[in-house]
Structure formats: structure tokens, C-alpha cells
Amino acid sequence: MPLKLYKEMIELRGIDVSYHNGVVEWNKVKQTGMVDFAIIRSGYGKFTMDEQFTNNIAGADTAGLKVGIYWFIYAADEEEAILNAKKCEECIKLYKDIITMRVWADWEYDSDKRNPQTKESRTANVKAFCKYLESKGYDVGVYANLDYINNKFGDLSEYPLWLAKYSSDKGNYNPLIWQYSSSGEIIGIKTKVDMNICYDNLEEITTSIKRSIIRIGSRSADVTYLQQRLTAKGYGVGKIDGIFGNLTYNAVIAFQKNFGLIQDGIVGSSTWNALFPYMYG
């Protein structure tokens, strides 16, 4: 299930949650500085919304985290897979504008236990789920562990991969998201929680921020990307928190000075060009 290789990636740190994690205190989660995004279970099967879904998505968004969705599929055939997708859409449609980290199709062992499948039918079911949500304007992807990637799924290479592999490295895989642990500990969550890294596509990010202008006082994802890029280049910004404060301002001034730019602390096209030079002619 390969993904195309990108020139450069920005790593975002995240968690995924469901009602099994209890009532999450999202502001405390954000304040740890350890979490940039949350993939939230919206539900499962043909009829059921996760009982903590609305609390989780509203809380994560309000706290300033990027948000994605996953749906646990129970389906005997493609028709039932589409019914899963329709119920998923019903649950998430009010939040479409804030779902920036895709809707993920989650087919696991319990899905097969309820509805035994062949590799071909299982793959067709996942594709049917994804294609329905794509038709409604959602970006989608597929969650899978190594057994499903290598043995139980056919060709799903048209979709980004959320890889479940609990180890110190992701191996020879190129996922968009890597779920590397199921035993994370985060202030604001009383249970163990799944931990993830998202290898965000820098090409897409830089296209979106190309015309962005940010300055001291700004709060946005673009500030997070700025802070990550400055940190990678050796300019200290303090905490990477999406808030353009004094330390980020000082780092911008130092960067602008070193690159012969106007030292105004404002990040516009000239500073973005210097930060991400390969994206511009």
C-alpha cells in the first residue's frame, strides 16, 4: 500500500480516541504541547455513533487541535459498507469544515469475526466505504496493521495509509500517519492512548501558506509550520504551539537578518521563500 515519496515532511504528533478513553479534557491535552492532532472515532457499523464523538470533536477543535475521523466498519458486503459510510457521513457532516485530517476506513479482526471475508471482498468493502465518502467531498484513507497490508488486503494504493505498527521504527513503509504505540500517557486522558506521527505533505502545506502573512500575535496552523521550520533550521522558538509570541518573533528577526531580508518580524512571501526555497522558482 505505497504512498508517493515527498521531498520533505513536517512531523505532527497526534492521538486517536474513542469512548473507550472516557471523557477527555481537551484543553489539558493541548497544553501538554505533545499533541498537534486527534483522530476521533465517529462510530461503527451501520447504525452507531460513538457516544463520546460530539464531545471529542468539539473539544479537540476548540482546543486548537487538527481533527480527523475514523469509522470502524462492520459489513457483510459492499452494500453494507456503503451503509456504514452513510451513517458515518450523517454523524460528521456538521463538522465537515474542521475535518482536515481525513476520514479513515478502519477494518480490523473484529470486522472479519462478524463478517468473514476473502481478500477480494474485504478490499472491495473498504473501497466501497471510501468511494462513497469521497463522492461527498471528504478526503479518505485506510487504517491497517502489517497483517492486513501484507496478507488480508488487496491493492489499496490509491488511498493514504494510516499504519499500525508498534515499534521503534515504521520499517520500509511510507504511511501518511504512523500509529506507533497503544500505551501513551497524556495529561487530560485517564486511560492509555494510541500515539501517532503524521508525516504532513510539505508540498501541500507550502502551497497553502504561500500567500499567508503572519506576525506577532497570530495563532494558526501556519504559525506551527513556521515554528517547526525555524526549529529545524536551528532558530529557537521555545514551545511549538501555533502562537506567534516574542520568542518566535525573535527567531524570525534572526532568520531574516541571516538571509538578508527586511527585519520586520513579519512572515510574508519573502520570508516563506527563504524558509521553503524549493517550492518557489
Side-chain angles (χ1 to χ4, degrees):
M1 194 185 292
L3 292 173
K4 82 174 195 179
L5 293 171
Y6 300 118
K7 293 181 180 178
E8 189 168 350
M9 297 289 186
I10 289 179
E11 293 184 7
L12 302 177
R13 299 159 296 174
I15 57 176
D16 58 274
V17 298
S18 71
Y19 86 95
H20 294 288
N21 299 104
V23 177
V24 177
E25 296 178 87
W26 286 103
N27 286 330
K28 290 184 178 180
V29 171
K30 175 65 174 177
Q31 288 166 7
T32 66
M34 298 171 61
V35 179
D36 302 305
F37 69 90
I39 310 296
I40 296 166
R41 189 174 79 162
S42 51
Y44 57 90
K46 297 180 290 184
F47 306 114
T48 310
M49 182 173 72
D50 186 291
E51 63 188 65
Q52 283 297 322
F53 170 62
T54 54
N55 290 336
N56 281 334
I57 193 166
D61 178 59
T62 300
L65 299 176
K66 298 179 70 171
V67 172
I69 298 297
Y70 76 95
W71 188 271
F72 202 106
I73 303 171
Y74 290 118
D77 51 32
E78 293 177 54
E79 182 178 352
E80 287 197 352
I82 292 171
L83 292 177
N84 276 244
K86 288 182 175 180
K87 182 61 179 180
C88 178
E89 184 201 13
E90 177 187 320
C91 293
I92 69 177
K93 61 186 178 182
L94 293 178
Y95 308 97
K96 187 174 184 179
D97 290 344
I98 67 172
I99 299 171
T100 59
M101 298 198 66
R102 297 182 180 269
V103 179
W104 297 88
D106 186 3
W107 183 288
E108 299 187 38
Y109 295 109
D110 199 49
S111 307
D112 283 314
K113 184 177 179 181
R114 294 195 187 189
N115 297 285
Q117 303 288 320
T118 65
K119 178 185 286 190
E120 291 73 20
S121 65
R122 184 183 299 113
T123 304
N125 291 345
V126 170
K127 284 187 175 183
F129 177 91
C130 289
K131 288 185 183 301
Y132 177 83
L133 287 166
E134 282 184 311
S135 75
K136 299 300 179 181
Y138 293 92
D139 293 324
V140 299
V142 175
Y143 174 89
N145 65 17
L146 298 186
D147 184 25
Y148 274 84
I149 293 170
N150 296 320
N151 304 310
K152 298 183 183 299
F153 284 144
D155 183 12
L156 289 169
S157 60
E158 64 194 282
Y159 301 112
L161 169 64
W162 177 8
L163 171 67
K165 182 177 185 290
Y166 303 151
S167 64
S168 59
D169 68 82
K170 61 183 185 297
N172 295 320
Y173 296 89
N174 188 28
L176 183 60
I177 299 178
W178 172 30
Q179 184 187 77
Y180 63 89
S181 174
S182 60
S183 56
E185 296 182 0
I186 299 290
I187 294 173
I189 303 177
K190 295 179 181 179
T191 66
K192 302 289 187 180
V193 65
D194 296 337
M195 304 297 293
N196 300 270
I197 296 172
C198 176
Y199 301 93
D200 219 336
N201 181 356
L202 185 57
E203 184 173 348
E204 291 178 359
I205 290 170
T206 50
T207 298
S208 71
I209 67 178
K210 195 171 181 178
R211 294 178 293 276
S212 173
I213 299 175
I214 57 177
R215 64 194 76 204
I216 194 164
S218 297
R219 295 172 177 244
S220 68
D222 290 350
V223 176
T224 299
Y225 303 140
L226 168 69
Q227 292 170 327
Q228 289 175 323
R229 188 63 167 175
L230 287 169
T231 300
K233 287 183 169 292
Y235 296 86
V237 300
K239 184 185 295 185
I240 297 174
D241 56 6
I243 302 172
F244 199 139
N246 290 328
L247 290 177
T248 299
Y249 174 82
N250 292 337
V252 169
I253 292 291
F255 177 83
Q256 290 173 330
K257 180 178 180 180
N258 287 342
F259 279 77
L261 303 172
I262 296 173
Q263 297 162 47
D264 57 5
I266 299 172
V267 181
S269 60
S270 296
T271 303
W272 288 126
N273 282 349
L275 283 163
F276 300 103
Y278 71 83
M279 279 300 297
Y280 309 94

